[in-house]
Amino acid sequence: MALVNANGVDMHVERMPARNGTGTGTVSGTSAGTAAPPTVVLLHGLVIDSLISYYFTLAPAFAGAGLDVIMYDLRGHGHSERPPSGYLLQDFVEDLDALLDRLEVAGPVHLVGNSYGGTVAFSYAARRPDRVASLSLVESEPPTGAWARKMADSLGRGVVELARESLYPELAEKYSAHVSRRVKSIARLLHSCTLSEEIPASRVMDEAEIRSVRCPVLAVYGSESELAPQEGWLKSLLPNCRTATIPDQEHSILTGATQQVSDLVMAWIRDHAAVPSASSARPAPTATPARSAKAEYP
C-alpha cells in the first residue's frame, strides 16, 4: 500500500504497470513504437466503494492490454485519510489534479469513473481539458442541479437509516456478520465527517459548462438504471460522445457485467490512445462494440 500526500490529504494509491506481451509499451490494437504506455486513472463510487472494486473488474485486464493503471481511494474512503470536512466535489477534483502532479504523470490521461467517480472525472475534464485524453463514465452523470438533489436525498436517508441501532443485528441475521460490519463502516464515514452535507452543496454545472467538455466521452448504462434515459440528453450536449446500454442491468454494471464494461471501455481507450499509422488504422466502430450491449451513436 502506498500513501501519497496530495492536496493536503494522504491518499491510498495503487498502480498496475502495463503488461504487454509484445513488449512495445502500447495498447493492444494501436500502432507500435517506443512511446510510454497510455495511463488510465480509475475513480470509484461513493461511500460503499473503494479502489478494491477495480482489482476484481477492470484493472487487471487493462494492465494486461498495455495500459499503465492508477487507482486510488477517494478522500474519506478505503485507506485514504478521512478529514472531518472538505468534501465538496471541487475538493475531489483538486485531489485528482494534485495526485497526478505528485505521481509525475506526463501527458493526458484516460479517466474511467464509476458512479460518483465519473462525476469527479467529468468535472475534472471541464477544469483541466489539457490533462484528459478521454472519459469513460460508468453509470454516472455530470454534476447538475438534479444530481445534487438526488445526492441530498440518498445521503440524507442514509444518515438517518444508519443511525438506527437495530439495523446491524438485523443485517447480521438476514445476511452475515461481514455485511453488518461493512455497513457499520459506512455509518462511521457518514457520521464522522461532513460528506453527506457537502456533496449536495457542491457547485453544479449548467448546460453551457457541460458542452465545454470537448474530449471523447463514453457513457455506459444499465438498461434498467434510472440514469439510462439521460443518454439522449448527454449526446445532444457533447459532440464527441458515445453511449452504450447493457441489457438487464441496473446501477451495478461494473460488477454485474464486468466483461461487457471492460470491452466497451477498452475499445474506447484504444481508439483514442494514439493516432494509428496508415497501415494500422482501425475501421470506424460498428453499432455493436460488445456482445449483449446496445451501443448508441449520434
Side-chain angles (χ1 to χ4, degrees), residues 16-167:
M16 284 191 181
R19 302 188 307 275
N20 190 325
T22 65
T24 61
T26 60
V27 176
S28 300
T30 63
S31 55
T34 58
T39 298
V40 58
V41 182
L42 306 177
L43 293 96
H44 65 77
L46 191 65
V47 180
I48 63 173
D49 207 358
S50 69
L51 70 78
I52 196 67
S53 63
Y54 284 117
Y55 265 107
F56 302 102
T57 54
L58 305 185
F62 284 7
L67 290 168
D68 184 17
V69 178
I70 297 173
M71 302 167 280
Y72 70 100
D73 286 329
L74 300 178
R75 60 168 59 210
H77 295 69
H79 295 290
S80 287
E81 185 180 348
R82 182 179 298 173
S85 62
Y87 292 93
L88 293 171
L89 176 59
Q90 186 61 24
D91 294 311
F92 292 91
V93 171
E94 291 172 357
D95 288 347
L96 174 57
D97 200 43
L99 183 62
L100 293 178
D101 286 342
R102 288 300 310 274
L103 296 178
E104 299 182 343
V105 175
V109 299
H110 301 270
L111 298 179
V112 179
N114 181 44
S115 193
Y116 181 70
T119 305
V120 176
F122 195 93
S123 301
Y124 186 74
R127 176 180 172 179
R128 293 297 309 267
D130 57 308
R131 298 193 85 166
V132 181
S134 76
L135 279 177
S136 295
L137 310 178
V138 180
E139 269 293 308
S140 186
E141 59 186 319
T144 62
W147 166 84
R149 290 188 292 273
K150 284 190 290 185
M151 289 293 99
D153 180 63
S154 61
L155 289 170
R157 284 187 286 108
V159 168
V160 171
E161 177 64 11
L162 294 175
R164 184 168 61 87
E165 287 300 325
S166 61
L167 173 65

Side-chain angles (χ1 to χ4, degrees), residues 273-295:
V275 178
S277 64
S279 61
S280 63
R282 291 173 48 79
T286 67
T288 54
R291 282 195 306 242
S292 302
K294 180 188 74 174

